[in-house]
Amino acid sequence: MTTFDANGVTLEQVREYVWEVKREGSMRTPARVLASEALLEEISQDKTLEQLQNATHLPGMTNYAICMPDGHQGYGFPVGGVGALDAEDGCISPGAVGYDINCGVRMMRTNLTYNEVEGHEEELVDSLFTNIPSGLGGGGIVETGIDDVEEILARGVDWALENGHAVEADLLHCEDEGRREGADPSKVSQKAKDRGKNQIGSLGSGNHFLEVQRVTDVFDDQVGEAFGLKEDQIVVLIHCGSRGLGHQTCNDYLRKIERQHQGLLEQLPDKELAAAPAGSQLAEDYYGAMNAAINFAWVNRQLIMHRTRKVFERVFGRSWEDMEMDLLYDVAHNIAKKETHTVGSHGRPAGDGDAVETEQRELFVHRKGATRAFPKGHPEVPAAYRDVGQPVIIPGSMGAGSYVLRGGEASMDLTFGSTAHGAGRLMSRTQAKNDYWGGDVKQELEERDQIYVKAQSGATIAEEAPGVYKDVDEVVRVSDELGIGDKVARTFPVCNIKG
């Protein structure tokens, strides 16, 4: 049996690309890492494996705590982590969701070809940068008061449709149709609402971006056709989240948990895994607030997308409807959702060979830097894609391709219907700024790859330099080989704006 040892954690290879940390001591379940040996070597360079092992101590952890191929160290719970916690006897953990609630991605198709965009790249990137707010602090596409924020938190993209920032088809091609049931704006603090009211329709900073891309490869013609993708087509990828409102909401509930559930905290190896017991008032309050922040993030991306349509109209002199600028899909990354899954009874893992009695259980499925990846036929896949499977969007770095996948048939058994969310960081932001100079990165991307980048500062570009990330091709290859997310198409950057 092949083993891998790093930082005091021993993993045994269960089968190709599946590595397991055996249950021992006070661990409630084993832990699993889904990775090639090359990716596992990179994952082991920080505290990811320790954090994953710590996560198995969360009450109600079911089957395994799981790390995706793009995993890296996060706050308490690793980024790229999936944890399914029993919704009756377990808990819900803000640290296992993340500060940027519903950080996610959406892709918009167009009928433009790369040839039609060539020669317009600089005009396009300048116009996008001018018209779409980015960077730290306030400033959004729309000015709203608290009453509007309340509506957005409660209704999600329905609010954008009613106010002229969306069309009906946008809702039909968004996870949950852009509205989370169970959202409770009253559980979001006034401070969070005040932070959010001036940020609706803005990218923010860090790794958030808007990127115009061209489709370079279609690997599955049938699914590609269902997704409306073909080679040489121009698409737009938007990656951002719930801005200051989501961050404040996470922080508020972490502090409340520290005050109200100290007993549970003392049972955990890391207080950053702070969790509220299922059924407690605080768990219910956080779930309502988190769902409201999810709605806020969907509206944020919707407004950015609709403004992008207007920018394309000005640059290319055609209506966005004529350019067929339609939403392919929007999927969340940092989220915990109540879902019903088939699991082994009495907490025993199912689906790996041994005959295990199974049952249906309602779980809080935490996906932190992981993407829902439901297969074809699943009732929660939008009707437009139910015959082929849910679209999954995997962004790469500025100098690498991104991917569109579809939910794989093995995802429900292996990962609670989940796969990776991106390339995954290799290097901290501080180290990146020491190793790279933003101006050099920008110049190299433009001269070598004809990729045009514009950001609020050179430091932002340095933090997101291509060498800062894992190999997205390898991440996607492992997902595809495991059958949790199947390759459909690959894209390559044309121009990129970021905070």
Side-chain angles (χ1 to χ4, degrees):
M1 179 177 291
T2 304
T3 61
F4 183 93
D5 294 280
N7 304 321
V9 179
T10 299
L11 300 98
E12 296 181 359
Q13 188 168 24
V14 176
R15 60 187 177 89
E16 193 170 22
Y17 309 125
V18 180
W19 303 81
E20 184 167 304
V21 182
K22 297 299 183 184
R23 181 180 177 183
E24 61 181 27
S26 57
M27 291 170 63
R28 295 173 185 268
T29 67
R32 284 193 164 183
V33 179
L34 309 182
S36 62
E37 291 193 39
L39 288 172
L40 184 59
E41 185 67 43
E42 293 173 344
I43 289 169
S44 70
Q45 297 304 306
D46 56 24
K47 293 184 178 180
T48 303
L49 298 179
E50 178 187 339
Q51 290 185 333
L52 185 68
Q53 190 172 32
N54 288 343
T56 66
H57 294 76
L58 285 165
M61 184 65 75
T62 303
N63 287 10
Y64 313 95
I66 307 166
C67 178
M68 294 294 137
D70 58 335
H72 62 90
Q73 180 179 331
Y75 178 89
F77 199 85
V79 178
V82 174
L85 305 177
D86 193 280
E88 183 177 344
D89 301 322
C91 61
I92 188 167
S93 172
V97 170
Y99 274 94
D100 192 4
I101 298 168
N102 190 6
C103 172
V105 292
R106 65 170 46 199
M107 179 174 282
M108 177 170 57
R109 300 179 297 245
T110 78
N111 63 14
L112 297 173
T113 64
Y114 181 51
N115 286 341
E116 292 175 279
V117 172
E118 277 190 296
H120 296 278
E121 295 97 336
E122 291 187 77
E123 179 187 4
L124 184 58
V125 77
D126 287 344
S127 187
L128 288 167
F129 190 77
T130 299
N131 286 280
I132 295 172
S134 62
L136 292 169
I141 285 171
V142 296
E143 292 185 9
T144 59
I146 291 298
D147 289 346
D148 288 314
V149 173
E150 298 274 356
E151 285 283 299
I152 289 167
L153 294 172
R155 298 174 54 207
V157 184
D158 279 344
W159 177 90
L161 177 64
E162 185 177 285
N163 286 273
H165 305 291
V167 294
E168 188 70 35
D170 295 335
L171 280 66
L172 299 177
H173 294 83
C174 183
E175 184 174 338
D176 293 334
E177 297 188 358
R179 180 176 184 172
R180 279 299 291 157
E181 297 298 327
D184 188 346
S186 73
K187 304 306 180 186
V188 177
S189 70
Q190 188 63 44
K191 185 174 182 180
K193 291 170 184 173
D194 287 338
R195 289 184 67 179
K197 70 179 182 180
N198 296 320
Q199 295 183 334
I200 301 169
S202 62
L203 284 174
S205 59
N207 65 344
H208 294 161
F209 64 86
L210 182 151
E211 190 166 87
V212 179
Q213 305 174 331
R214 69 181 191 268
V215 178
T216 57
D217 304 274
V218 175
F219 305 106
D220 187 317
D221 291 337
Q222 179 188 0
V223 181
E225 183 177 359
F227 288 179
L229 296 174
K230 56 188 177 182
E231 290 184 10
D232 210 39
Q233 177 184 9
I234 292 295
V235 296
V236 179
L237 187 65
I238 297 166
H239 175 215
C240 61
S242 49
R243 297 296 326 272
L245 181 141
H247 191 282
Q248 187 63 48
T249 299
C250 178
N251 191 66
D252 289 342
Y253 280 91
L254 287 172
R255 302 293 83 80
K256 288 180 180 181
I257 288 169
E258 288 173 359
R259 293 193 297 270
Q260 297 182 33
H261 293 289
Q262 191 64 37
L264 175 54
L265 271 181
E266 290 173 356
Q267 299 174 30
L268 300 172
D270 185 351
K271 72 174 185 177
E272 291 182 358
L273 289 171
S280 68
Q281 187 60 55
L282 194 53
E284 295 300 313
D285 290 351
Y286 173 70
Y287 194 65
M290 179 198 64
N291 284 328
I294 289 168
N295 286 340
F296 185 94
W298 273 326
V299 172
N300 189 35
R301 291 196 289 275
Q302 176 63 42
L303 265 60
I304 291 170
M305 184 182 81
H306 206 58
R307 174 62 66 86
T308 300
R309 288 166 166 164
K310 303 300 182 183
V311 169
F312 269 65
E313 285 184 332
R314 287 194 288 272
V315 172
F316 296 102
R318 297 162 57 187
S319 71
W320 70 262
E321 293 92 344
D322 183 55
M323 289 182 282
E324 298 178 351
M325 299 185 74
D326 302 321
L327 178 60
L328 170 60
Y329 199 58
D330 182 302
V331 65
H333 290 160
N334 292 0
I335 198 165
K337 301 180 87 167
K338 282 185 182 178
E339 298 173 1
T340 300
H341 287 266
T342 302
V343 301
S345 60
H346 310 296
R348 291 185 63 200
D352 265 333
D354 294 335
V356 175
E357 189 176 335
T358 60
E359 60 185 359
Q360 296 284 300
R361 298 258 289 278
E362 187 175 55
L363 308 169
F364 288 119
V365 181
H366 296 66
R367 298 182 178 94
K368 180 179 180 180
T371 301
R372 184 191 259 194
F374 283 176
K376 65 181 179 181
H378 195 287
E380 292 193 47
V381 176
Y385 304 126
R386 203 163 294 153
D387 289 342
V388 293
Q390 176 214 305
V392 176
I393 303 160
I394 309 283
S397 70
M398 287 186 293
S402 297
Y403 283 86
V404 180
L405 315 183
R406 57 109 172 241
E409 293 294 330
S411 68
M412 303 307 288
D413 287 338
L414 285 178
T415 60
F416 298 99
S418 312
T419 190
H421 86 305
R425 292 192 77 90
L426 274 174
M427 190 182 295
S428 71
R429 299 185 190 283
T430 300
Q431 185 182 347
K433 285 186 285 189
N434 288 334
D435 289 3
Y436 294 96
W437 183 255
D440 292 342
V441 174
K442 182 177 185 293
Q443 183 177 351
E444 183 177 350
L445 287 169
E446 188 172 328
E447 292 179 354
R448 185 190 66 194
D449 298 314
Q450 290 76 55
I451 300 169
Y452 294 79
V453 178
K454 194 155 188 174
Q456 293 287 352
S457 71
T460 300
I461 297 175
E463 288 175 3
E464 299 301 311
V468 168
Y469 286 88
K470 296 180 179 71
D471 180 359
V472 70
D473 297 334
E474 181 70 356
V475 169
V476 169
R477 186 185 71 81
V478 171
S479 176
D480 185 73
E481 291 281 347
L482 284 170
I484 58 176
D486 305 332
K487 286 197 301 185
V488 176
R490 185 177 186 273
T491 64
F492 193 76
V494 174
C495 61
N496 178 299
I497 67 166
K498 54 177 67 263

Tab-separated table of all heavy atoms in Angstrom, residues 259-305:
chain	number	residue	atom	x	y	z
A	259	ARG	N	-18.885	33.371	22.160
A	259	ARG	CA	-19.534	33.757	23.417
A	259	ARG	C	-20.560	32.718	23.883
A	259	ARG	O	-20.668	32.441	25.075
A	259	ARG	CB	-20.225	35.121	23.257
A	259	ARG	CG	-19.264	36.283	23.052
A	259	ARG	CD	-19.973	37.613	23.210
A	259	ARG	NE	-21.027	37.815	22.212
A	259	ARG	CZ	-20.840	38.385	21.023
A	259	ARG	NH1	-19.630	38.815	20.681
A	259	ARG	NH2	-21.850	38.546	20.195
A	260	GLN	N	-21.309	32.141	22.925
A	260	GLN	CA	-22.463	31.329	23.302
A	260	GLN	C	-22.198	29.819	23.319
A	260	GLN	O	-22.956	29.077	23.939
A	260	GLN	CB	-23.634	31.621	22.348
A	260	GLN	CG	-24.129	33.054	22.419
A	260	GLN	CD	-25.317	33.299	21.492
A	260	GLN	OE1	-26.130	32.416	21.263
A	260	GLN	NE2	-25.414	34.521	20.962
A	261	HIS	N	-21.178	29.364	22.609
A	261	HIS	CA	-20.963	27.917	22.512
A	261	HIS	C	-19.504	27.568	22.820
A	261	HIS	O	-18.857	26.813	22.097
A	261	HIS	CB	-21.371	27.411	21.122
A	261	HIS	CG	-22.848	27.526	20.875
A	261	HIS	ND1	-23.762	26.716	21.508
A	261	HIS	CD2	-23.567	28.376	20.094
A	261	HIS	CE1	-24.989	27.059	21.123
A	261	HIS	NE2	-24.892	28.054	20.265
A	262	GLN	N	-19.033	28.117	23.940
A	262	GLN	CA	-17.652	27.881	24.335
A	262	GLN	C	-17.395	26.395	24.593
A	262	GLN	O	-16.304	25.886	24.321
A	262	GLN	CB	-17.330	28.697	25.592
A	262	GLN	CG	-15.858	28.738	25.947
A	262	GLN	CD	-15.006	29.439	24.902
A	262	GLN	OE1	-15.438	30.414	24.322
A	262	GLN	NE2	-13.820	28.920	24.646
A	263	GLY	N	-18.414	25.692	25.100
A	263	GLY	CA	-18.249	24.269	25.371
A	263	GLY	C	-17.922	23.471	24.130
A	263	GLY	O	-17.032	22.603	24.152
A	264	LEU	N	-18.604	23.762	23.027
A	264	LEU	CA	-18.309	23.080	21.766
A	264	LEU	C	-16.929	23.469	21.245
A	264	LEU	O	-16.157	22.623	20.770
A	264	LEU	CB	-19.389	23.407	20.725
A	264	LEU	CG	-19.170	22.876	19.306
A	264	LEU	CD1	-18.937	21.368	19.306
A	264	LEU	CD2	-20.360	23.234	18.408
A	265	LEU	N	-16.598	24.748	21.370
A	265	LEU	CA	-15.291	25.216	20.908
A	265	LEU	C	-14.158	24.476	21.616
A	265	LEU	O	-13.147	24.126	20.991
A	265	LEU	CB	-15.143	26.715	21.166
A	265	LEU	CG	-15.621	27.687	20.091
A	265	LEU	CD1	-15.364	29.115	20.524
A	265	LEU	CD2	-14.947	27.420	18.763
A	266	GLU	N	-14.346	24.227	22.903
A	266	GLU	CA	-13.294	23.570	23.677
A	266	GLU	C	-13.077	22.119	23.254
A	266	GLU	O	-12.019	21.543	23.528
A	266	GLU	CB	-13.629	23.650	25.172
A	266	GLU	CG	-13.498	25.071	25.727
A	266	GLU	CD	-13.985	25.183	27.158
A	266	GLU	OE1	-14.507	24.161	27.691
A	266	GLU	OE2	-13.869	26.271	27.744
A	267	GLN	N	-14.062	21.521	22.549
A	267	GLN	CA	-13.927	20.152	22.069
A	267	GLN	C	-13.164	20.070	20.745
A	267	GLN	O	-12.784	18.983	20.319
A	267	GLN	CB	-15.313	19.524	21.867
A	267	GLN	CG	-16.164	19.421	23.112
A	267	GLN	CD	-17.566	18.930	22.794
A	267	GLN	OE1	-17.775	18.169	21.846
A	267	GLN	NE2	-18.537	19.367	23.585
A	268	LEU	N	-12.952	21.212	20.110
A	268	LEU	CA	-12.340	21.233	18.781
A	268	LEU	C	-10.854	21.552	18.874
A	268	LEU	O	-10.439	22.355	19.722
A	268	LEU	CB	-13.048	22.271	17.898
A	268	LEU	CG	-14.547	22.037	17.666
A	268	LEU	CD1	-15.162	23.224	16.942
A	268	LEU	CD2	-14.778	20.747	16.869
A	269	PRO	N	-10.047	20.981	17.994
A	269	PRO	CA	-8.601	21.241	18.045
A	269	PRO	C	-8.207	22.626	17.566
A	269	PRO	O	-7.066	23.039	17.764
A	269	PRO	CB	-8.026	20.152	17.128
A	269	PRO	CG	-9.133	19.773	16.218
A	269	PRO	CD	-10.407	19.960	16.998
A	270	ASP	N	-9.119	23.347	16.928
A	270	ASP	CA	-8.816	24.682	16.404
A	270	ASP	C	-10.064	25.543	16.547
A	270	ASP	O	-11.124	25.216	15.983
A	270	ASP	CB	-8.393	24.581	14.933
A	270	ASP	CG	-7.952	25.916	14.340
A	270	ASP	OD1	-8.127	26.954	15.010
A	270	ASP	OD2	-7.447	25.912	13.205
A	271	LYS	N	-9.957	26.637	17.285
A	271	LYS	CA	-11.141	27.476	17.515
A	271	LYS	C	-11.622	28.147	16.231
A	271	LYS	O	-12.760	28.635	16.175
A	271	LYS	CB	-10.852	28.525	18.591
A	271	LYS	CG	-9.917	29.655	18.174
A	271	LYS	CD	-9.823	30.698	19.270
A	271	LYS	CE	-8.991	31.899	18.816
A	271	LYS	NZ	-8.941	32.962	19.859
A	272	GLU	N	-10.788	28.181	15.195
A	272	GLU	CA	-11.224	28.745	13.920
A	272	GLU	C	-12.282	27.875	13.243
A	272	GLU	O	-12.911	28.298	12.278
A	272	GLU	CB	-10.026	28.951	12.992
A	272	GLU	CG	-9.087	30.058	13.462
A	272	GLU	CD	-7.929	30.304	12.518
A	272	GLU	OE1	-7.819	29.590	11.510
A	272	GLU	OE2	-7.118	31.205	12.799
A	273	LEU	N	-12.490	26.654	13.747
A	273	LEU	CA	-13.572	25.793	13.259
A	273	LEU	C	-14.890	26.099	13.962
A	273	LEU	O	-15.840	25.314	13.878
A	273	LEU	CB	-13.210	24.323	13.476
A	273	LEU	CG	-12.102	23.759	12.588
A	273	LEU	CD1	-11.700	22.373	13.066
A	273	LEU	CD2	-12.532	23.707	11.125
A	274	ALA	N	-14.960	27.221	14.640
A	274	ALA	CA	-16.123	27.603	15.438
A	274	ALA	C	-17.432	27.215	14.761
A	274	ALA	O	-17.661	27.523	13.595
A	274	ALA	CB	-16.092	29.114	15.674
A	275	ALA	N	-18.298	26.533	15.526
A	275	ALA	CA	-19.536	26.010	14.957
A	275	ALA	C	-20.667	26.156	15.961
A	275	ALA	O	-20.446	26.166	17.179
A	275	ALA	CB	-19.362	24.537	14.580
A	276	ALA	N	-21.887	26.260	15.455
A	276	ALA	CA	-23.086	26.299	16.287
A	276	ALA	C	-23.807	24.966	16.160
A	276	ALA	O	-23.980	24.456	15.045
A	276	ALA	CB	-23.995	27.442	15.861
A	277	PRO	N	-24.230	24.368	17.254
A	277	PRO	CA	-24.914	23.069	17.180
A	277	PRO	C	-26.192	23.151	16.366
A	277	PRO	O	-26.954	24.115	16.470
A	277	PRO	CB	-25.217	22.753	18.653
A	277	PRO	CG	-24.294	23.614	19.454
A	277	PRO	CD	-24.089	24.850	18.636
A	278	ALA	N	-26.423	22.122	15.542
A	278	ALA	CA	-27.658	22.051	14.764
A	278	ALA	C	-28.853	22.120	15.706
A	278	ALA	O	-28.853	21.507	16.769
A	278	ALA	CB	-27.687	20.760	13.951
A	279	GLY	N	-29.847	22.888	15.315
A	279	GLY	CA	-31.038	23.038	16.135
A	279	GLY	C	-30.968	24.174	17.121
A	279	GLY	O	-31.996	24.580	17.682
A	280	SER	N	-29.781	24.712	17.373
A	280	SER	CA	-29.661	25.857	18.281
A	280	SER	C	-30.155	27.122	17.595
A	280	SER	O	-30.198	27.213	16.362
A	280	SER	CB	-28.211	26.036	18.731
A	280	SER	OG	-27.390	26.449	17.635
A	281	GLN	N	-30.523	28.098	18.400
A	281	GLN	CA	-30.995	29.357	17.835
A	281	GLN	C	-29.904	30.014	16.998
A	281	GLN	O	-30.182	30.581	15.927
A	281	GLN	CB	-31.439	30.309	18.945
A	281	GLN	CG	-32.096	31.593	18.426
A	281	GLN	CD	-33.330	31.328	17.595
A	281	GLN	OE1	-34.252	30.653	18.051
A	281	GLN	NE2	-33.370	31.842	16.366
A	282	LEU	N	-28.667	29.919	17.457
A	282	LEU	CA	-27.575	30.562	16.725
A	282	LEU	C	-27.342	29.885	15.379
A	282	LEU	O	-27.040	30.562	14.381
A	282	LEU	CB	-26.301	30.557	17.564
A	282	LEU	CG	-25.169	31.480	17.086
A	282	LEU	CD1	-25.665	32.903	16.900
A	282	LEU	CD2	-24.006	31.448	18.071
A	283	ALA	N	-27.492	28.562	15.318
A	283	ALA	CA	-27.364	27.856	14.038
A	283	ALA	C	-28.447	28.316	13.067
A	283	ALA	O	-28.174	28.555	11.878
A	283	ALA	CB	-27.446	26.347	14.249
A	284	GLU	N	-29.659	28.452	13.569
A	284	GLU	CA	-30.757	28.912	12.717
A	284	GLU	C	-30.523	30.344	12.253
A	284	GLU	O	-30.775	30.687	11.092
A	284	GLU	CB	-32.082	28.804	13.467
A	284	GLU	CG	-32.505	27.379	13.811
A	284	GLU	CD	-32.671	26.513	12.579
A	284	GLU	OE1	-33.314	26.969	11.614
A	284	GLU	OE2	-32.136	25.382	12.574
A	285	ASP	N	-30.042	31.180	13.166
A	285	ASP	CA	-29.787	32.584	12.820
A	285	ASP	C	-28.695	32.690	11.757
A	285	ASP	O	-28.829	33.452	10.795
A	285	ASP	CB	-29.374	33.379	14.063
A	285	ASP	CG	-30.524	33.575	15.046
A	285	ASP	OD1	-31.678	33.246	14.699
A	285	ASP	OD2	-30.252	34.053	16.171
A	286	TYR	N	-27.602	31.931	11.959
A	286	TYR	CA	-26.518	31.991	10.972
A	286	TYR	C	-26.990	31.488	9.617
A	286	TYR	O	-26.655	32.094	8.578
A	286	TYR	CB	-25.300	31.180	11.431
A	286	TYR	CG	-24.243	31.086	10.343
A	286	TYR	CD1	-23.509	32.205	9.966
A	286	TYR	CD2	-24.026	29.896	9.642
A	286	TYR	CE1	-22.573	32.147	8.947
A	286	TYR	CE2	-23.098	29.825	8.627
A	286	TYR	CZ	-22.370	30.945	8.273
A	286	TYR	OH	-21.462	30.884	7.251
A	287	TYR	N	-27.759	30.412	9.600
A	287	TYR	CA	-28.228	29.873	8.316
A	287	TYR	C	-29.085	30.905	7.575
A	287	TYR	O	-28.945	31.083	6.364
A	287	TYR	CB	-29.017	28.583	8.546
A	287	TYR	CG	-29.245	27.777	7.284
A	287	TYR	CD1	-28.176	27.204	6.598
A	287	TYR	CD2	-30.523	27.584	6.778
A	287	TYR	CE1	-28.371	26.467	5.442
A	287	TYR	CE2	-30.725	26.840	5.616
A	287	TYR	CZ	-29.655	26.287	4.956
A	287	TYR	OH	-29.855	25.555	3.805
A	288	GLY	N	-29.947	31.606	8.308
A	288	GLY	CA	-30.755	32.652	7.682
A	288	GLY	C	-29.920	33.806	7.177
A	288	GLY	O	-30.162	34.345	6.081
A	289	ALA	N	-28.901	34.206	7.961
A	289	ALA	CA	-28.023	35.309	7.553
A	289	ALA	C	-27.150	34.896	6.378
A	289	ALA	O	-26.940	35.682	5.432
A	289	ALA	CB	-27.155	35.742	8.732
A	290	MET	N	-26.612	33.672	6.422
A	290	MET	CA	-25.766	33.193	5.325
A	290	MET	C	-26.553	33.139	4.022
A	290	MET	O	-26.075	33.567	2.962
A	290	MET	CB	-25.208	31.814	5.659
A	290	MET	CG	-24.320	31.232	4.557
A	290	MET	SD	-24.095	29.447	4.708
A	290	MET	CE	-25.776	28.867	4.458
A	291	ASN	N	-27.789	32.624	4.061
A	291	ASN	CA	-28.604	32.562	2.850
A	291	ASN	C	-28.894	33.958	2.303
A	291	ASN	O	-28.928	34.166	1.089
A	291	ASN	CB	-29.922	31.829	3.140
A	291	ASN	CG	-29.740	30.329	3.231
A	291	ASN	OD1	-28.888	29.755	2.560
A	291	ASN	ND2	-30.532	29.678	4.072
A	292	ALA	N	-29.080	34.928	3.199
A	292	ALA	CA	-29.286	36.304	2.755
A	292	ALA	C	-28.030	36.850	2.078
A	292	ALA	O	-28.112	37.525	1.035
A	292	ALA	CB	-29.681	37.182	3.947
A	293	ALA	N	-26.859	36.558	2.646
A	293	ALA	CA	-25.601	36.999	2.026
A	293	ALA	C	-25.378	36.310	0.689
A	293	ALA	O	-24.809	36.901	-0.241
A	293	ALA	CB	-24.430	36.729	2.973
A	294	ILE	N	-25.809	35.065	0.572
A	294	ILE	CA	-25.742	34.355	-0.717
A	294	ILE	C	-26.540	35.123	-1.765
A	294	ILE	O	-26.079	35.332	-2.898
A	294	ILE	CB	-26.271	32.919	-0.564
A	294	ILE	CG1	-25.292	32.062	0.243
A	294	ILE	CG2	-26.526	32.274	-1.933
A	294	ILE	CD1	-25.851	30.728	0.687
A	295	ASN	N	-27.742	35.556	-1.405
A	295	ASN	CA	-28.564	36.337	-2.341
A	295	ASN	C	-27.861	37.630	-2.739
A	295	ASN	O	-27.897	38.045	-3.913
A	295	ASN	CB	-29.913	36.656	-1.700
A	295	ASN	CG	-30.837	35.458	-1.641
A	295	ASN	OD1	-30.662	34.484	-2.389
A	295	ASN	ND2	-31.826	35.505	-0.768
A	296	PHE	N	-27.230	38.280	-1.779
A	296	PHE	CA	-26.503	39.523	-2.055
A	296	PHE	C	-25.411	39.286	-3.095
A	296	PHE	O	-25.245	40.082	-4.033
A	296	PHE	CB	-25.908	40.057	-0.746
A	296	PHE	CG	-25.236	41.393	-0.866
A	296	PHE	CD1	-25.928	42.563	-0.598
A	296	PHE	CD2	-23.899	41.495	-1.233
A	296	PHE	CE1	-25.302	43.808	-0.695
A	296	PHE	CE2	-23.272	42.729	-1.329
A	296	PHE	CZ	-23.973	43.884	-1.064
A	297	ALA	N	-24.667	38.201	-2.942
A	297	ALA	CA	-23.575	37.916	-3.878
A	297	ALA	C	-24.101	37.633	-5.276
A	297	ALA	O	-23.496	38.041	-6.275
A	297	ALA	CB	-22.753	36.735	-3.381
A	298	TRP	N	-25.215	36.919	-5.378
A	298	TRP	CA	-25.776	36.659	-6.710
A	298	TRP	C	-26.196	37.957	-7.393
A	298	TRP	O	-25.993	38.132	-8.592
A	298	TRP	CB	-26.954	35.695	-6.604
A	298	TRP	CG	-26.537	34.256	-6.644
A	298	TRP	CD1	-25.498	33.724	-7.346
A	298	TRP	CD2	-27.141	33.167	-5.945
A	298	TRP	NE1	-25.424	32.363	-7.138
A	298	TRP	CE2	-26.418	31.996	-6.282
A	298	TRP	CE3	-28.226	33.063	-5.080
A	298	TRP	CZ2	-26.760	30.739	-5.772
A	298	TRP	CZ3	-28.558	31.808	-4.573
A	298	TRP	CH2	-27.834	30.671	-4.915
A	299	VAL	N	-26.779	38.870	-6.629
A	299	VAL	CA	-27.152	40.165	-7.205
A	299	VAL	C	-25.900	40.939	-7.606
A	299	VAL	O	-25.867	41.588	-8.667
A	299	VAL	CB	-28.012	40.969	-6.216
A	299	VAL	CG1	-28.241	42.393	-6.728
A	299	VAL	CG2	-29.355	40.277	-5.994
A	300	ASN	N	-24.865	40.858	-6.785
A	300	ASN	CA	-23.617	41.547	-7.107
A	300	ASN	C	-23.085	41.099	-8.466
A	300	ASN	O	-22.755	41.925	-9.326
A	300	ASN	CB	-22.592	41.271	-6.006
A	300	ASN	CG	-21.342	42.114	-6.140
A	300	ASN	OD1	-21.395	43.267	-6.550
A	300	ASN	ND2	-20.205	41.527	-5.812
A	301	ARG	N	-22.991	39.785	-8.678
A	301	ARG	CA	-22.484	39.278	-9.962
A	301	ARG	C	-23.452	39.591	-11.108
A	301	ARG	O	-23.031	39.847	-12.239
A	301	ARG	CB	-22.219	37.772	-9.869
A	301	ARG	CG	-21.052	37.435	-8.973
A	301	ARG	CD	-20.544	36.025	-9.158
A	301	ARG	NE	-21.413	34.978	-8.653
A	301	ARG	CZ	-21.435	34.540	-7.396
A	301	ARG	NH1	-20.652	35.099	-6.484
A	301	ARG	NH2	-22.238	33.546	-7.038
A	302	GLN	N	-24.747	39.570	-10.811
A	302	GLN	CA	-25.732	39.880	-11.845
A	302	GLN	C	-25.574	41.309	-12.348
A	302	GLN	O	-25.609	41.569	-13.559
A	302	GLN	CB	-27.151	39.675	-11.306
A	302	GLN	CG	-28.263	40.057	-12.278
A	302	GLN	CD	-28.272	39.210	-13.528
A	302	GLN	OE1	-28.092	38.004	-13.468
A	302	GLN	NE2	-28.519	39.831	-14.682
A	303	LEU	N	-25.391	42.254	-11.438
A	303	LEU	CA	-25.246	43.649	-11.847
A	303	LEU	C	-23.965	43.857	-12.645
A	303	LEU	O	-23.942	44.631	-13.623
A	303	LEU	CB	-25.267	44.567	-10.619
A	303	LEU	CG	-26.640	45.171	-10.290
A	303	LEU	CD1	-27.684	44.101	-10.013
A	303	LEU	CD2	-26.539	46.124	-9.093
A	304	ILE	N	-22.895	43.186	-12.248
A	304	ILE	CA	-21.648	43.286	-13.004
A	304	ILE	C	-21.838	42.723	-14.404
A	304	ILE	O	-21.384	43.307	-15.395
A	304	ILE	CB	-20.518	42.548	-12.265
A	304	ILE	CG1	-20.151	43.292	-10.972
A	304	ILE	CG2	-19.279	42.407	-13.152
A	304	ILE	CD1	-19.227	42.515	-10.053
A	305	MET	N	-22.519	41.593	-14.509
A	305	MET	CA	-22.735	40.992	-15.820
A	305	MET	C	-23.578	41.906	-16.711
A	305	MET	O	-23.281	42.086	-17.904
A	305	MET	CB	-23.414	39.622	-15.679
A	305	MET	CG	-23.582	38.893	-17.003
A	305	MET	SD	-24.440	37.294	-16.873
A	305	MET	CE	-26.156	37.856	-16.808
